[in-house]
Amino acid sequence: MQRLTILERDHNDLRRRYAEQQLRLVQMENRLDALLAARSAPQGTHRNEHLDIARQYSVCVEQRVQSFVRTAESLGQRSDARLRSIGRVCAVLFGVESPTVGAVLTAVGRARLDPLADSAAQLCDRASDLRRRAQGTGIPFSWDFELVPGDLLDPAWQEAWPPCDPDLPALSVVAPAYLVAEQVYTKQRVQTGIAITV
């Protein structure tokens, strides 16, 4: 009886893995179709639109998100904690399809009825607008949060968030890269340093 239970568990595990592989295959096929469609589309206008989106995305992160986090943080908060807060807000704004005010406030440790709710709503609207504009071009795009903590930065698509040292290992993503048809339009901004383990 125990052998049958083990075989059934292994069978269910194999079915789950097979379903995951099928999903990955469909996603890869869809991505390939989108890339092929993007190559056949007129690029001049779309490229200019994505360049403008990339510029506005950088302004959003460097000015609006950073200002929001500074306003929300407690007195005496260390700069590394501030960078992690900026990263959490960016994960809410650009890591999900529809960011919410509650999630932005939670990212900075504030309650849903906080006076910063209006500012959080403006950030959500800005991120949603950038996403809509990018989707409107029909060219595949993404905000890339992928990072291996402890790896050195890849200057082709990553840069250290000032004043972090670009020669130190990566700790966390502060702001994701903005990629359009696998090309870097805005580099990933990364907190670097030496991880201290206890």
Side-chain angles (χ1 to χ4, degrees):
M1 185 68 169
Q2 183 180 10
R3 184 168 179 251
L4 186 58
T5 304
I6 291 171
L7 286 174
E8 184 179 1
R9 185 187 66 216
D10 289 347
H11 174 72
N12 289 337
D13 187 48
L14 285 172
R15 288 180 63 191
R16 182 186 53 78
R17 287 184 189 176
Y18 176 75
E20 288 172 357
Q21 291 298 325
Q22 288 294 100
L23 179 62
R24 285 186 187 138
L25 180 61
V26 168
Q27 289 172 337
M28 287 176 62
E29 287 174 345
N30 291 342
R31 205 165 154 197
L32 179 60
D33 289 344
L35 285 171
L36 291 173
R39 281 192 174 176
S40 63
Q43 296 296 311
T45 305
H46 295 315
R47 176 173 159 68
N48 291 339
E49 179 73 2
H50 281 291
L51 287 171
D52 187 55
I53 292 167
R55 183 184 59 75
Q56 290 186 28
Y57 161 65
S58 293
V59 168
C60 180
V61 171
E62 293 168 7
Q63 294 178 13
R64 295 183 174 137
V65 172
Q66 188 168 205
S67 174
F68 175 80
V69 169
R70 283 182 193 269
T71 303
E73 70 187 1
S74 57
L75 290 175
Q77 187 173 21
R78 296 188 345 229
S79 63
D80 59 333
R82 181 180 305 134
L83 294 183
R84 287 193 299 276
S85 293
I86 293 170
R88 287 192 302 271
V89 171
C90 285
V92 170
L93 295 175
F94 302 104
V96 297
E97 187 74 26
S98 300
T100 65
V101 171
V104 171
L105 291 171
T106 299
V108 291
R110 296 295 189 107
R112 290 180 181 258
L113 299 176
D114 193 276
L116 287 174
D118 286 341
S119 297
Q122 291 173 5
L123 289 175
C124 291
D125 290 345
R126 190 75 194 121
S128 295
D129 179 58
L130 292 173
R131 184 181 304 276
R132 271 192 302 275
R133 286 179 56 199
Q135 288 171 337
T137 66
I139 299 175
F141 71 96
S142 64
W143 278 280
D144 190 345
F145 288 88
E146 189 172 325
L147 176 92
V148 178
D151 278 3
L152 293 178
L153 300 185
D154 181 346
W157 69 283
Q158 292 175 311
E159 61 188 11
W161 182 281
C164 294
D165 185 341
D167 295 324
L168 290 177
L171 292 177
S172 64
V173 173
V174 179
Y178 178 54
L179 306 179
V180 179
E182 304 298 323
Q183 292 184 357
V184 178
Y185 275 57
T186 304
K187 290 184 178 182
Q188 186 181 81
R189 309 289 291 278
V190 179
Q191 178 184 7
T192 64
I194 304 298
I196 299 172
T197 56
V198 179

